[in-house]
DNA sequence: TATCCGTGGAT
DNA sequence: TATCCAAGGAT
């Protein structure tokens, strides 16, 4: 979860994930859609799929025992150099150096190297960074050292406005926090529209059964590159939405694109006519929808429309006012 | 090797 | 409001 995702965000979702999948075997045996559902809103869903596959591999081929060595951990799907080193050093005390985005920035500033401003040469610089990380590593307490390096980058040697006056390495640092980072592509904006179609249905076979509300959802095809297999509100072909049918507008940033999503109230009868062709489309009870692999945008809309309750972890965090590790 | 994959919090 | 970018990995 911590791959490219902030600690504060993960802290909310981590406990929920462990409650749902308390053991490696329970994760391995779960349907992929259930894993994605618990991951819903965290993004980078490939991480969830690979974690699932890793659990299955360990369960099937390694007798359920997760490797302890970094070199063996690296063989599992979704575990690269960073995660392997982090687990091996922190959990098992192996003397391997962690290089994450924070460490890379810290070391480049200390050594006076310029990171990635030129295309190419990235691999050579990367090797120098890893070599320096290995050389500096406290081999007696590798886990603590690695966490300290990452924490230094996260709290003091920050990308912008580094707190050099509070830095224990100020005297050793070549750059005192000056550090050119490569220019990023500018953000773009896109206006899109989705159908929010809700109907009330009665349980079949019951004369006066309890009615329940259902929402129309669509599953993204398995072939798409973005969020395959996830469920979302049906996309509309046209972004123009009459004011009377505009339920809400949601901004949803994905990578470098700001999506301004217009949510259109759609009556049941019209839904089929105006939705774009996609994957499977299903009427789903609100209760069921809350536990499905929804995209972040869809989850956000359903919560804001008071159709599904806020996920428990979010509600708790909001009550406390802050995420708690 | 450059690119792609999601999201939300900080600034 | 707009921009940046995070405890990366696979392809």
């Amino acid at each position: 979860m911590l791959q490219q995702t902030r600690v504060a965000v993960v802290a909310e979702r981590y406990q929920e994930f462990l409650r749902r999948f308390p053991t490696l075997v329970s994760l391995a045996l779960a349907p992929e859609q259930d894993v994605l559902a618990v991951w819903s809103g965290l993004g980078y869903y490939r991480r969830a799929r690979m974690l699932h596959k890793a659990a299955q591999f360990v369960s099937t081929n390694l007798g359920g025992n997760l490797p302890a060595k970094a070199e063996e951990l690296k063989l599992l799907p979704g575990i690269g150099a960073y995660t392997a080193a982090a687990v091996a050093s922190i959990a098992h005390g192996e003397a391997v150096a962690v290089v994450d985005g924070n460490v890379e920035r810290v070391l480049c500033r200390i050594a006076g190297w310029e990171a990635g401003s030129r295309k190419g040469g990235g691999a050579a610089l990367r090797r120098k960074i890893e070599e320096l990380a290995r050389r500096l590593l406290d081999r007696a307490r590798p886990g603590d050292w690695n966490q300290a390096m990452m924490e230094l980058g996260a709290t003091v040697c920050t990308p912008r406005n580094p707190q050099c006056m509070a830095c224990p390495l100020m005297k050793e640092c070549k750059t005192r926090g000056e550090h050119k980072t490569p220019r990023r592509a500018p953000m773009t904006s896109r206006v899109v529209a989705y159908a929010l179609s809700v109907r009330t249905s009665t349980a079949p076979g019951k004369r006066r059964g309890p009615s329940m509300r259902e929402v129309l959802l669509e599953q993204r095809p398995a072939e798409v590159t973005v969020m395959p297999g996830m469920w979302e509100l049906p996309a509309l072909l046209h972004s123009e939405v009459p004011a009377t049918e505009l339920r809400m507008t949601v901004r949803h940033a994905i990578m470098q694109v700001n999506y301004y999503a217009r949510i259109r109230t759609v009556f049941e009868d019209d839904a089929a006519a105006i939705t774009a062709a996609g994957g499977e489309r299903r009427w789903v009870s609100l209760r069921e929808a809350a536990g499905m692999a929804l995209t972040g945008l869809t989850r956000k809309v359903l919560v804001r429309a008071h159709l599904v309750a806020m996920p428990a972890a979010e509600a708790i965090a909001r009550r406390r006012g802050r995420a708690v590790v």
Side-chain angles (χ1 to χ4, degrees), chain A residues 14 80 128 146 158 217 219-220 251 266 297 307 319 325:
Chain A
Y14 177 65
K128 285 171 67 179
N146 283 330
T158 50
L217 294 179
Q219 187 174 33
R220 297 174 62 81
R251 188 184 76 87
V266 171
L297 173 59
L307 294 174
R319 211 178 309 134
V325 179

Side-chain angles (χ1 to χ4, degrees), chain A residues 188-192 250-254 257-261 297:
Chain A
T188 59
S189 295
R190 276 194 62 194
V191 177
V192 294
V250 180
R251 188 184 76 87
H252 192 71
I254 292 184
V257 182
N258 272 324
Y259 290 93
Y260 292 91
L297 173 59

Side-chain angles (χ1 to χ4, degrees), chain A residues 306-324:
Chain A
H306 304 294
L307 294 174
V308 307
M310 196 174 298
E314 276 184 41
I316 293 167
R318 177 160 299 201
R319 211 178 309 134
R320 288 181 186 149
R322 214 67 184 96
V324 178

Side-chain angles (χ1 to χ4, degrees), chain A residues 2 7 82-83 85-87 89-90 96-107 142-159:
Chain A
L2 288 167
V7 174
Y82 160 73
T83 307
V87 171
S89 66
I90 296 171
V96 283
V98 155
V99 178
D100 73 335
N102 286 313
V103 174
E104 183 169 338
R105 181 177 59 256
V106 169
L107 294 182
D144 289 344
W145 173 269
N146 283 330
Q147 291 188 74
M149 288 292 287
M150 292 188 282
E151 194 70 6
L152 183 66
T155 62
V156 177
C157 194
T158 50

Side-chain angles (χ1 to χ4, degrees), chain A residues 51-325:
Chain A
L51 181 62
H52 188 213
K53 284 191 166 58
Q56 292 177 334
F57 180 86
V58 172
S59 181
T60 302
N61 300 322
L62 303 181
N65 300 312
L66 196 67
K69 299 291 182 197
E71 282 305 315
E72 296 170 26
L73 283 164
K74 228 184 292 185
L75 299 176
L76 300 176
I79 297 191
Y82 160 73
T83 307
V87 171
S89 66
I90 296 171
H92 304 291
E94 184 178 342
V96 283
V98 155
V99 178
D100 73 335
N102 286 313
V103 174
E104 183 169 338
R105 181 177 59 256
V106 169
L107 294 182
C108 280
R109 281 175 171 167
I110 290 175
W113 296 331
E114 199 166 311
S117 60
R118 287 267 177 269
K119 55 184 177 182
L125 178 61
R126 175 75 190 183
R127 276 194 297 276
K128 285 171 67 179
I129 293 169
E130 288 172 353
E131 189 185 329
L132 179 56
R134 272 198 300 276
R135 193 155 60 78
L136 295 176
L137 178 69
D138 181 345
R139 308 183 69 83
R141 297 172 63 188
D144 289 344
W145 173 269
N146 283 330
Q147 291 188 74
M149 288 292 287
M150 292 188 282
E151 194 70 6
L152 183 66
T155 62
V156 177
C157 194
T158 50
R160 284 172 296 181
N161 307 323
Q163 305 300 307
C164 296
M165 299 306 287
C167 183
L169 298 177
M170 185 169 71
K171 288 205 166 55
E172 281 77 26
C173 186
K174 284 252 196 334
T175 68
R176 302 288 161 80
E178 282 192 29
H179 180 62
K180 295 189 188 71
T181 52
R183 208 66 195 151
R184 303 180 64 81
M187 295 196 72
T188 59
S189 295
R190 276 194 62 194
V191 177
V192 294
Y194 292 91
L196 180 57
S197 189
V198 178
R199 74 178 185 186
T200 302
S201 77
T202 312
K206 294 190 177 179
R207 202 165 296 264
R208 291 180 63 87
S211 63
M212 63 177 180
R213 284 194 296 172
E214 296 176 319
V215 62
L216 188 61
L217 294 179
E218 194 171 283
Q219 187 174 33
R220 297 174 62 81
E223 307 81 49
V224 298
T225 58
V226 181
M227 299 176 279
M230 304 288 289
W231 291 83
E232 63 183 353
L233 298 175
L236 297 179
L237 288 170
H238 303 291
S239 59
E240 287 75 26
V241 175
T244 54
E245 296 177 9
L246 182 62
R247 179 71 179 266
M248 69 177 83
T249 299
V250 180
R251 188 184 76 87
H252 192 71
I254 292 184
M255 305 303 296
Q256 321 219 81
V257 182
N258 272 324
Y259 290 93
Y260 292 91
R262 296 169 177 167
I263 307 304
R264 180 175 186 169
T265 301
V266 171
F267 296 108
E268 178 184 340
D269 291 344
D270 297 340
I274 67 175
T275 52
E280 185 197 352
R281 199 184 296 162
R282 257 175 55 190
W283 287 100
V284 178
S285 75
L286 295 178
R287 179 186 179 80
E288 186 184 355
M292 288 174 64
L294 306 175
T295 67
L297 173 59
T298 296
R299 194 171 57 93
K300 193 189 293 184
V301 169
L302 293 182
V303 167
R304 275 181 56 174
H306 304 294
L307 294 174
V308 307
M310 196 174 298
E314 276 184 41
I316 293 167
R318 177 160 299 201
R319 211 178 309 134
R320 288 181 186 149
R322 214 67 184 96
V324 178
V325 179

